[in-house]
Amino acid sequence: MELSLQPEILPPPPKTVPLDVVPIRSVHPKESPVMEIAKPKAAPVVSHRPGLKGRRVCLLTNFFKVAVVGALDDFYHYDISIFREDGSEIASKNVRRAVVEELSEMYKQELAGKRLVYDGVGSLFTLGPLPQNVLEFSVVMEGKSIRKGSSVGGGGSPNENDQKRRKLVSCFRTFKVVMSYVSQISMKSLDERSLTVLNTILQQQACRKGCLVVGQSFFLHEQGNYIDLGGGVLGCRGFFSSFRSLQGGLFLNHDVSMTTTIQPGAVVDFLLSYQNVKTPFNIDWSKASRTLKNLRIRVKHLNREFKITGLSEISCKEQKFPLKLRRESDSNGGVQTIQTTKNLPCINVGKPNRAIFFPVELCFLVPLQRNKNELTVYQRTAMVTKSSQKPEELLKILTDVSKRIKHEVETDPVLQSCGISINTLLVQAEGRVLPAPRLKMGNGEHIIPRNGWWNNKDKKLLDPKKLENWVVVNFSTSCDVRCLFKEFAKVASAKGMVTSPPACVLDENPKNRKKPPSDRVDMMFQQLQSRFKQHPPKFIICLLSDKKFSDLYGPWKRKTLIEFGIQNQCLSTIKIDELYLINVLLKINMKLGGLNHAVVSELMRTMPLVSKAPTMILGIHVSHASPGRAEAPSVASVVGSREWPRMSSYRASLRALPPKSQMIDSLFKPMSEQMDAGIIRELLKEFHSSSGQKKPAQIIIFRNGLSISQFKEFLNVELDQIRKACSFLEANWRPKFTVIVSQRRHHTKFFEADLGANVPSGTIVDSKVCDVQCTNFYMCPHTARIGTSRPTHYHVLVDEIGFTSDDLQELIHSSSYMFQRCNRAISEVAPVRYARLAASLMSLAVKPEEMANASEGYQLPKLHKNVASSMFFI
């Protein structure tokens, strides 16, 4: 079907679209005129089933009720394209928004007085239809530019004509804007499309106020919003605001949000802080060029913004060019010579074939520019500690801003036309508090955790293992090793662990301290190999001055786990006390194959449904490289349970994915008619061999980190691969599946209504503020140690096993207590946490050059066979 772009051919859109008609997206001239509409596979629909168990509590949420007065008119969706005079399309969101703002003022009559709602990319919405299905406008905007021939090249001197051509002059730029009708959006159903329109209005509001817009989070340049994280990076506090259609109706979700930005101000000051040097002459300018590229600056004497494209190859003193600066005593201005940065390069804001240079001392970074580089461990720690807010503080902020939110929403002309009003009271919701599961410790002792935590100081481990044939490696720490491990043996004995004395203590040669981390690790292993020529030790305890911030941690894990297959545990010698040593022993015992504690219902085989038939539990997570490492691949991590009926033992399998991939393509990977190299086959075989030669009759999948828009894709891609992997192993084998998506990246918060405090551990909310698509609920099994607790949001996509809501919630709640590395409930199910740990550890252990190769199809190095049989390598 061909679609013409001539306005006189297409009739105006109908006032209403019949139910049996699906709107077809109009085709842009640069696209193919023929468009096929593929029907996606339908996602299974699971009806909502609230649970009944638990003590009922009244909670406050960070939602405001939205009322709609009168009937909402429909919005109309248009594709919008904006071109320069040469036919190239504008990419900058800021420029596109400015053009649309100018267009709405210039062509009010042609637009029939419609107010434009624009997302800054390619979608534009109007309340009611525009006069034509396709409209084309020419928008002329006044601006400032630099004429051609104004570049100052290399070390050459510009002549008098060049100097004249460099003068800033007023100019006019013409843009071509094409709008094409896409569809009519009914606001009565308040579905995903209509919510997109309402949220776009909030984004447009924020842009007009000068905010940095990141999704539905808005950040304003105010001094009180910034937190200094060091290294030229600031934490910036803003607000998240989003309309949501939930079980209880239409709500506005409002929360505090955080991002990181570049420190505004003088470019030189930023570089001194970023590179941690004292003078401009110590700055590494090759690194500075990569850091500054694409950042925006304001030039002092011009008072306009430019985007940095690079640095000059020669210093400022060799780069001769005229520069007019206005003196306070001379209203006509005067020519001055830059002296303070004469030995530094200049900032280039021009194009590859037309450089434009400015002395660096005249350049100032504008505020609200997102930091796209990877945060250091120090910065991440500072971000968490400095930005956390107690529930009482957050509740006060939400209460204080409620009237401002109401005013901003109800005075917006478009929202006002929709008849939308906001209630300033925080929405109340009903929750239920599940009792903590009974745990079994050593000596047959049973305990019941309180507030998501249990005291294990005087408790023995359930299944302690013997620590023998082990060594100590000391990387230049100043602690008394003999005294430390005397106390270590004493604490281990109290926990029921038998520890033989270490075979030896290897101290790092002080001469190696200033060498690269990987070299230091290699030299330490050379010492180790010279001492253990025949049989290597079974376990290594590594002493670091600061485990969290040590650059030795990644290379050490690579060496021990991937190359040599030796279990190990790192210790920080900064602060060592009894509680610290107990936590270390929990990890060591787990890595040795022991069991620290267990949920009684797991051992007694009374866990609903999963204890009656062989059941395998999968935790799936995809980890992405941090900002600043765009070339690094994503890591797919899948853990599978083993030794059924236990639910506390897992094996991990990892694969590399192309950068920023969301879906895993290696769950099922047939190499021939008999060979499958996929992840699921590997985990199924492990389950079978460790569970008495039993195949799982039921498989429960916990998939982490998907948005609602990705649910169908997950079912059609990943779940389909898992089913095929099962059939590939045995043609007639059809296990039952229950599929649950866990989400931690959301902005829903709960508070105790009476106290304004964090909710009790074990709190569940499964009504009113939950989604309408399928069975879903929020669970907060843990107690927040810092700030306001964040619940995990679970969506049940498939339930062939047939759980009741109470049984499934009990399973998830109990799983939060099965994590073996600590003595408290965690915020999510244990298999998801193990999958995340495995992915982060692999990212640490793999060399950067290998990560870059992995994005081109390189296979991640496999764990050594000695540690790959279970999840205990984590």
Side-chain angles (χ1 to χ4, degrees), residues 126-157:
T126 61
L127 194 59
L130 294 175
Q132 299 287 343
N133 266 19
V134 178
L135 292 170
E136 187 175 308
F137 300 96
S138 181
V139 179
V140 180
M141 296 181 65
E142 185 178 2
K144 298 282 186 179
S145 71
I146 298 180
R147 289 182 177 178
K148 292 184 178 180
S150 62
S151 60
V152 182
S157 301

PDB file of all heavy atoms in Angstrom, residues 126-157:
ATOM      1  N   THR A 126      -1.491  15.970  19.749  1.00  0.00           N
ATOM      2  CA  THR A 126      -2.388  17.111  19.884  1.00  0.00           C
ATOM      3  C   THR A 126      -3.722  16.635  20.441  1.00  0.00           C
ATOM      4  O   THR A 126      -4.145  15.499  20.198  1.00  0.00           O
ATOM      5  CB  THR A 126      -2.634  17.799  18.531  1.00  0.00           C
ATOM      6  OG1 THR A 126      -3.263  16.856  17.629  1.00  0.00           O
ATOM      7  CG2 THR A 126      -1.339  18.304  17.917  1.00  0.00           C
ATOM      8  N   LEU A 127      -4.370  17.496  21.210  1.00  0.00           N
ATOM      9  CA  LEU A 127      -5.697  17.196  21.737  1.00  0.00           C
ATOM     10  C   LEU A 127      -6.711  17.529  20.651  1.00  0.00           C
ATOM     11  O   LEU A 127      -7.022  18.691  20.407  1.00  0.00           O
ATOM     12  CB  LEU A 127      -5.960  18.008  23.009  1.00  0.00           C
ATOM     13  CG  LEU A 127      -7.147  17.587  23.869  1.00  0.00           C
ATOM     14  CD1 LEU A 127      -6.998  16.149  24.344  1.00  0.00           C
ATOM     15  CD2 LEU A 127      -7.288  18.516  25.066  1.00  0.00           C
ATOM     16  N   GLY A 128      -7.205  16.496  19.974  1.00  0.00           N
ATOM     17  CA  GLY A 128      -8.025  16.697  18.786  1.00  0.00           C
ATOM     18  C   GLY A 128      -7.148  16.715  17.554  1.00  0.00           C
ATOM     19  O   GLY A 128      -5.930  16.928  17.638  1.00  0.00           O
ATOM     20  N   PRO A 129      -7.730  16.487  16.366  1.00  0.00           N
ATOM     21  CA  PRO A 129      -6.932  16.361  15.140  1.00  0.00           C
ATOM     22  C   PRO A 129      -6.491  17.703  14.581  1.00  0.00           C
ATOM     23  O   PRO A 129      -7.139  18.729  14.784  1.00  0.00           O
ATOM     24  CB  PRO A 129      -7.902  15.659  14.182  1.00  0.00           C
ATOM     25  CG  PRO A 129      -9.252  16.120  14.633  1.00  0.00           C
ATOM     26  CD  PRO A 129      -9.177  16.255  16.121  1.00  0.00           C
ATOM     27  N   LEU A 130      -5.381  17.697  13.848  1.00  0.00           N
ATOM     28  CA  LEU A 130      -4.941  18.847  13.075  1.00  0.00           C
ATOM     29  C   LEU A 130      -5.750  18.913  11.780  1.00  0.00           C
ATOM     30  O   LEU A 130      -6.391  17.932  11.382  1.00  0.00           O
ATOM     31  CB  LEU A 130      -3.448  18.720  12.768  1.00  0.00           C
ATOM     32  CG  LEU A 130      -2.501  18.795  13.978  1.00  0.00           C
ATOM     33  CD1 LEU A 130      -1.063  18.541  13.532  1.00  0.00           C
ATOM     34  CD2 LEU A 130      -2.613  20.140  14.677  1.00  0.00           C
ATOM     35  N   PRO A 131      -5.745  20.044  11.093  1.00  0.00           N
ATOM     36  CA  PRO A 131      -6.582  20.194   9.888  1.00  0.00           C
ATOM     37  C   PRO A 131      -6.265  19.187   8.786  1.00  0.00           C
ATOM     38  O   PRO A 131      -7.140  18.836   8.005  1.00  0.00           O
ATOM     39  CB  PRO A 131      -6.276  21.626   9.427  1.00  0.00           C
ATOM     40  CG  PRO A 131      -5.835  22.330  10.660  1.00  0.00           C
ATOM     41  CD  PRO A 131      -5.113  21.312  11.473  1.00  0.00           C
ATOM     42  N   GLN A 132      -5.020  18.732   8.698  1.00  0.00           N
ATOM     43  CA  GLN A 132      -4.625  17.811   7.633  1.00  0.00           C
ATOM     44  C   GLN A 132      -3.902  16.603   8.213  1.00  0.00           C
ATOM     45  O   GLN A 132      -3.311  16.678   9.291  1.00  0.00           O
ATOM     46  CB  GLN A 132      -3.699  18.519   6.627  1.00  0.00           C
ATOM     47  CG  GLN A 132      -4.319  19.714   5.913  1.00  0.00           C
ATOM     48  CD  GLN A 132      -5.344  19.303   4.873  1.00  0.00           C
ATOM     49  OE1 GLN A 132      -5.380  18.141   4.463  1.00  0.00           O
ATOM     50  NE2 GLN A 132      -6.167  20.241   4.432  1.00  0.00           N
ATOM     51  N   ASN A 133      -3.945  15.498   7.471  1.00  0.00           N
ATOM     52  CA  ASN A 133      -3.195  14.309   7.899  1.00  0.00           C
ATOM     53  C   ASN A 133      -1.698  14.500   7.766  1.00  0.00           C
ATOM     54  O   ASN A 133      -0.919  13.938   8.534  1.00  0.00           O
ATOM     55  CB  ASN A 133      -3.617  13.105   7.052  1.00  0.00           C
ATOM     56  CG  ASN A 133      -4.706  12.309   7.737  1.00  0.00           C
ATOM     57  OD1 ASN A 133      -5.376  12.800   8.634  1.00  0.00           O
ATOM     58  ND2 ASN A 133      -4.887  11.081   7.304  1.00  0.00           N
ATOM     59  N   VAL A 134      -1.280  15.254   6.747  1.00  0.00           N
ATOM     60  CA  VAL A 134       0.135  15.542   6.532  1.00  0.00           C
ATOM     61  C   VAL A 134       0.292  17.042   6.380  1.00  0.00           C
ATOM     62  O   VAL A 134      -0.379  17.665   5.561  1.00  0.00           O
ATOM     63  CB  VAL A 134       0.685  14.815   5.283  1.00  0.00           C
ATOM     64  CG1 VAL A 134       2.144  15.185   5.053  1.00  0.00           C
ATOM     65  CG2 VAL A 134       0.529  13.317   5.427  1.00  0.00           C
ATOM     66  N   LEU A 135       1.159  17.594   7.185  1.00  0.00           N
ATOM     67  CA  LEU A 135       1.405  19.034   7.143  1.00  0.00           C
ATOM     68  C   LEU A 135       2.899  19.270   6.989  1.00  0.00           C
ATOM     69  O   LEU A 135       3.717  18.547   7.545  1.00  0.00           O
ATOM     70  CB  LEU A 135       0.908  19.701   8.424  1.00  0.00           C
ATOM     71  CG  LEU A 135      -0.609  19.714   8.644  1.00  0.00           C
ATOM     72  CD1 LEU A 135      -0.922  20.174  10.053  1.00  0.00           C
ATOM     73  CD2 LEU A 135      -1.284  20.620   7.632  1.00  0.00           C
ATOM     74  N   GLU A 136       3.208  20.305   6.219  1.00  0.00           N
ATOM     75  CA  GLU A 136       4.601  20.658   6.003  1.00  0.00           C
ATOM     76  C   GLU A 136       4.785  22.149   6.268  1.00  0.00           C
ATOM     77  O   GLU A 136       4.007  22.978   5.795  1.00  0.00           O
ATOM     78  CB  GLU A 136       5.014  20.320   4.572  1.00  0.00           C
ATOM     79  CG  GLU A 136       6.499  20.499   4.309  1.00  0.00           C
ATOM     80  CD  GLU A 136       6.891  20.034   2.914  1.00  0.00           C
ATOM     81  OE1 GLU A 136       6.541  18.893   2.553  1.00  0.00           O
ATOM     82  OE2 GLU A 136       7.547  20.814   2.200  1.00  0.00           O
ATOM     83  N   PHE A 137       5.807  22.467   7.086  1.00  0.00           N
ATOM     84  CA  PHE A 137       6.034  23.854   7.462  1.00  0.00           C
ATOM     85  C   PHE A 137       7.489  24.224   7.218  1.00  0.00           C
ATOM     86  O   PHE A 137       8.376  23.377   7.237  1.00  0.00           O
ATOM     87  CB  PHE A 137       5.728  24.081   8.951  1.00  0.00           C
ATOM     88  CG  PHE A 137       4.315  23.757   9.336  1.00  0.00           C
ATOM     89  CD1 PHE A 137       3.997  22.525   9.877  1.00  0.00           C
ATOM     90  CD2 PHE A 137       3.303  24.685   9.161  1.00  0.00           C
ATOM     91  CE1 PHE A 137       2.708  22.223  10.247  1.00  0.00           C
ATOM     92  CE2 PHE A 137       2.004  24.396   9.525  1.00  0.00           C
ATOM     93  CZ  PHE A 137       1.693  23.162  10.073  1.00  0.00           C
ATOM     94  N   SER A 138       7.707  25.515   7.012  1.00  0.00           N
ATOM     95  CA  SER A 138       9.050  26.069   6.939  1.00  0.00           C
ATOM     96  C   SER A 138       9.215  27.008   8.124  1.00  0.00           C
ATOM     97  O   SER A 138       8.459  27.964   8.274  1.00  0.00           O
ATOM     98  CB  SER A 138       9.241  26.829   5.621  1.00  0.00           C
ATOM     99  OG  SER A 138      10.554  27.343   5.535  1.00  0.00           O
ATOM    100  N   VAL A 139      10.186  26.705   8.990  1.00  0.00           N
ATOM    101  CA  VAL A 139      10.396  27.474  10.221  1.00  0.00           C
ATOM    102  C   VAL A 139      11.723  28.206  10.110  1.00  0.00           C
ATOM    103  O   VAL A 139      12.771  27.594   9.885  1.00  0.00           O
ATOM    104  CB  VAL A 139      10.399  26.562  11.463  1.00  0.00           C
ATOM    105  CG1 VAL A 139      10.650  27.372  12.725  1.00  0.00           C
ATOM    106  CG2 VAL A 139       9.085  25.811  11.571  1.00  0.00           C
ATOM    107  N   VAL A 140      11.671  29.527  10.265  1.00  0.00           N
ATOM    108  CA  VAL A 140      12.867  30.357  10.199  1.00  0.00           C
ATOM    109  C   VAL A 140      13.191  30.825  11.609  1.00  0.00           C
ATOM    110  O   VAL A 140      12.350  31.401  12.292  1.00  0.00           O
ATOM    111  CB  VAL A 140      12.662  31.562   9.267  1.00  0.00           C
ATOM    112  CG1 VAL A 140      13.929  32.415   9.225  1.00  0.00           C
ATOM    113  CG2 VAL A 140      12.288  31.090   7.869  1.00  0.00           C
ATOM    114  N   MET A 141      14.414  30.563  12.024  1.00  0.00           N
ATOM    115  CA  MET A 141      14.839  30.929  13.373  1.00  0.00           C
ATOM    116  C   MET A 141      16.091  31.783  13.310  1.00  0.00           C
ATOM    117  O   MET A 141      16.995  31.531  12.517  1.00  0.00           O
ATOM    118  CB  MET A 141      15.118  29.680  14.218  1.00  0.00           C
ATOM    119  CG  MET A 141      13.894  28.819  14.449  1.00  0.00           C
ATOM    120  SD  MET A 141      14.277  27.381  15.471  1.00  0.00           S
ATOM    121  CE  MET A 141      14.720  28.185  17.012  1.00  0.00           C
ATOM    122  N   GLU A 142      16.121  32.796  14.167  1.00  0.00           N
ATOM    123  CA  GLU A 142      17.303  33.643  14.256  1.00  0.00           C
ATOM    124  C   GLU A 142      18.284  33.022  15.227  1.00  0.00           C
ATOM    125  O   GLU A 142      17.908  32.482  16.264  1.00  0.00           O
ATOM    126  CB  GLU A 142      16.918  35.041  14.741  1.00  0.00           C
ATOM    127  CG  GLU A 142      18.086  36.011  14.751  1.00  0.00           C
ATOM    128  CD  GLU A 142      17.676  37.412  15.186  1.00  0.00           C
ATOM    129  OE1 GLU A 142      16.491  37.592  15.510  1.00  0.00           O
ATOM    130  OE2 GLU A 142      18.541  38.294  15.206  1.00  0.00           O
ATOM    131  N   GLY A 143      19.568  33.068  14.891  1.00  0.00           N
ATOM    132  CA  GLY A 143      20.573  32.489  15.771  1.00  0.00           C
ATOM    133  C   GLY A 143      21.915  33.113  15.534  1.00  0.00           C
ATOM    134  O   GLY A 143      22.055  34.100  14.813  1.00  0.00           O
ATOM    135  N   LYS A 144      22.921  32.584  16.169  1.00  0.00           N
ATOM    136  CA  LYS A 144      24.306  33.043  16.020  1.00  0.00           C
ATOM    137  C   LYS A 144      25.131  31.921  15.414  1.00  0.00           C
ATOM    138  O   LYS A 144      24.990  30.769  15.783  1.00  0.00           O
ATOM    139  CB  LYS A 144      24.906  33.415  17.378  1.00  0.00           C
ATOM    140  CG  LYS A 144      24.194  34.569  18.080  1.00  0.00           C
ATOM    141  CD  LYS A 144      24.578  35.883  17.504  1.00  0.00           C
ATOM    142  CE  LYS A 144      23.956  37.037  18.314  1.00  0.00           C
ATOM    143  NZ  LYS A 144      24.352  38.336  17.769  1.00  0.00           N
ATOM    144  N   SER A 145      25.971  32.257  14.474  1.00  0.00           N
ATOM    145  CA  SER A 145      26.871  31.235  13.920  1.00  0.00           C
ATOM    146  C   SER A 145      28.180  31.880  13.516  1.00  0.00           C
ATOM    147  O   SER A 145      28.331  33.088  13.552  1.00  0.00           O
ATOM    148  CB  SER A 145      26.232  30.545  12.712  1.00  0.00           C
ATOM    149  OG  SER A 145      26.191  31.428  11.617  1.00  0.00           O
ATOM    150  N   ILE A 146      29.149  31.090  13.104  1.00  0.00           N
ATOM    151  CA  ILE A 146      30.453  31.581  12.665  1.00  0.00           C
ATOM    152  C   ILE A 146      30.587  31.285  11.186  1.00  0.00           C
ATOM    153  O   ILE A 146      30.352  30.178  10.737  1.00  0.00           O
ATOM    154  CB  ILE A 146      31.580  30.905  13.455  1.00  0.00           C
ATOM    155  CG1 ILE A 146      31.420  31.253  14.940  1.00  0.00           C
ATOM    156  CG2 ILE A 146      32.935  31.321  12.950  1.00  0.00           C
ATOM    157  CD1 ILE A 146      32.467  30.635  15.819  1.00  0.00           C
ATOM    158  N   ARG A 147      30.933  32.303  10.427  1.00  0.00           N
ATOM    159  CA  ARG A 147      30.969  32.155   8.966  1.00  0.00           C
ATOM    160  C   ARG A 147      32.054  31.192   8.525  1.00  0.00           C
ATOM    161  O   ARG A 147      33.006  30.940   9.228  1.00  0.00           O
ATOM    162  CB  ARG A 147      31.229  33.522   8.326  1.00  0.00           C
ATOM    163  CG  ARG A 147      30.043  34.480   8.430  1.00  0.00           C
ATOM    164  CD  ARG A 147      30.393  35.766   7.726  1.00  0.00           C
ATOM    165  NE  ARG A 147      29.269  36.683   7.729  1.00  0.00           N
ATOM    166  CZ  ARG A 147      29.323  37.902   7.201  1.00  0.00           C
ATOM    167  NH1 ARG A 147      30.441  38.326   6.641  1.00  0.00           N
ATOM    168  NH2 ARG A 147      28.280  38.672   7.233  1.00  0.00           N
ATOM    169  N   LYS A 148      31.870  30.674   7.320  1.00  0.00           N
ATOM    170  CA  LYS A 148      32.876  29.791   6.746  1.00  0.00           C
ATOM    171  C   LYS A 148      34.183  30.563   6.561  1.00  0.00           C
ATOM    172  O   LYS A 148      34.184  31.764   6.313  1.00  0.00           O
ATOM    173  CB  LYS A 148      32.415  29.235   5.404  1.00  0.00           C
ATOM    174  CG  LYS A 148      31.256  28.280   5.529  1.00  0.00           C
ATOM    175  CD  LYS A 148      30.900  27.691   4.199  1.00  0.00           C
ATOM    176  CE  LYS A 148      29.754  26.694   4.349  1.00  0.00           C
ATOM    177  NZ  LYS A 148      29.382  26.098   3.055  1.00  0.00           N
ATOM    178  N   GLY A 149      35.285  29.796   6.655  1.00  0.00           N
ATOM    179  CA  GLY A 149      36.595  30.415   6.536  1.00  0.00           C
ATOM    180  C   GLY A 149      37.101  30.993   7.831  1.00  0.00           C
ATOM    181  O   GLY A 149      38.092  31.695   7.835  1.00  0.00           O
ATOM    182  N   SER A 150      36.401  30.699   8.950  1.00  0.00           N
ATOM    183  CA  SER A 150      36.781  31.304  10.224  1.00  0.00           C
ATOM    184  C   SER A 150      37.736  30.442  11.024  1.00  0.00           C
ATOM    185  O   SER A 150      38.067  30.783  12.132  1.00  0.00           O
ATOM    186  CB  SER A 150      35.529  31.559  11.067  1.00  0.00           C
ATOM    187  OG  SER A 150      34.890  30.336  11.354  1.00  0.00           O
ATOM    188  N   SER A 151      38.169  29.306  10.493  1.00  0.00           N
ATOM    189  CA  SER A 151      39.031  28.420  11.264  1.00  0.00           C
ATOM    190  C   SER A 151      40.420  29.017  11.409  1.00  0.00           C
ATOM    191  O   SER A 151      40.885  29.766  10.559  1.00  0.00           O
ATOM    192  CB  SER A 151      39.132  27.053  10.586  1.00  0.00           C
ATOM    193  OG  SER A 151      39.678  27.206   9.304  1.00  0.00           O
ATOM    194  N   VAL A 152      41.057  28.668  12.495  1.00  0.00           N
ATOM    195  CA  VAL A 152      42.452  29.040  12.734  1.00  0.00           C
ATOM    196  C   VAL A 152      43.243  27.760  12.672  1.00  0.00           C
ATOM    197  O   VAL A 152      43.225  26.964  13.590  1.00  0.00           O
ATOM    198  CB  VAL A 152      42.613  29.727  14.105  1.00  0.00           C
ATOM    199  CG1 VAL A 152      44.063  30.134  14.304  1.00  0.00           C
ATOM    200  CG2 VAL A 152      41.709  30.941  14.196  1.00  0.00           C
ATOM    201  N   GLY A 153      43.906  27.469  11.607  1.00  0.00           N
ATOM    202  CA  GLY A 153      44.531  26.174  11.420  1.00  0.00           C
ATOM    203  C   GLY A 153      45.954  26.123  11.931  1.00  0.00           C
ATOM    204  O   GLY A 153      46.704  27.090  11.829  1.00  0.00           O
ATOM    205  N   GLY A 154      46.332  24.946  12.478  1.00  0.00           N
ATOM    206  CA  GLY A 154      47.713  24.661  12.896  1.00  0.00           C
ATOM    207  C   GLY A 154      48.375  25.818  13.582  1.00  0.00           C
ATOM    208  O   GLY A 154      47.867  26.427  14.489  1.00  0.00           O
ATOM    209  N   GLY A 155      49.540  26.175  13.082  1.00  0.00           N
ATOM    210  CA  GLY A 155      50.255  27.304  13.672  1.00  0.00           C
ATOM    211  C   GLY A 155      50.258  28.494  12.746  1.00  0.00           C
ATOM    212  O   GLY A 155      51.021  29.420  12.914  1.00  0.00           O
ATOM    213  N   GLY A 156      49.432  28.465  11.687  1.00  0.00           N
ATOM    214  CA  GLY A 156      49.399  29.547  10.731  1.00  0.00           C
ATOM    215  C   GLY A 156      48.786  30.809  11.296  1.00  0.00           C
ATOM    216  O   GLY A 156      48.043  30.781  12.256  1.00  0.00           O
ATOM    217  N   SER A 157      49.050  31.961  10.677  1.00  0.00           N
ATOM    218  CA  SER A 157      48.499  33.230  11.138  1.00  0.00           C
ATOM    219  C   SER A 157      47.393  33.668  10.195  1.00  0.00           C
ATOM    220  O   SER A 157      47.583  33.732   8.983  1.00  0.00           O
ATOM    221  CB  SER A 157      49.598  34.304  11.169  1.00  0.00           C
ATOM    222  OG  SER A 157      50.631  33.902  12.029  1.00  0.00           O
TER     223      SER A 157
END
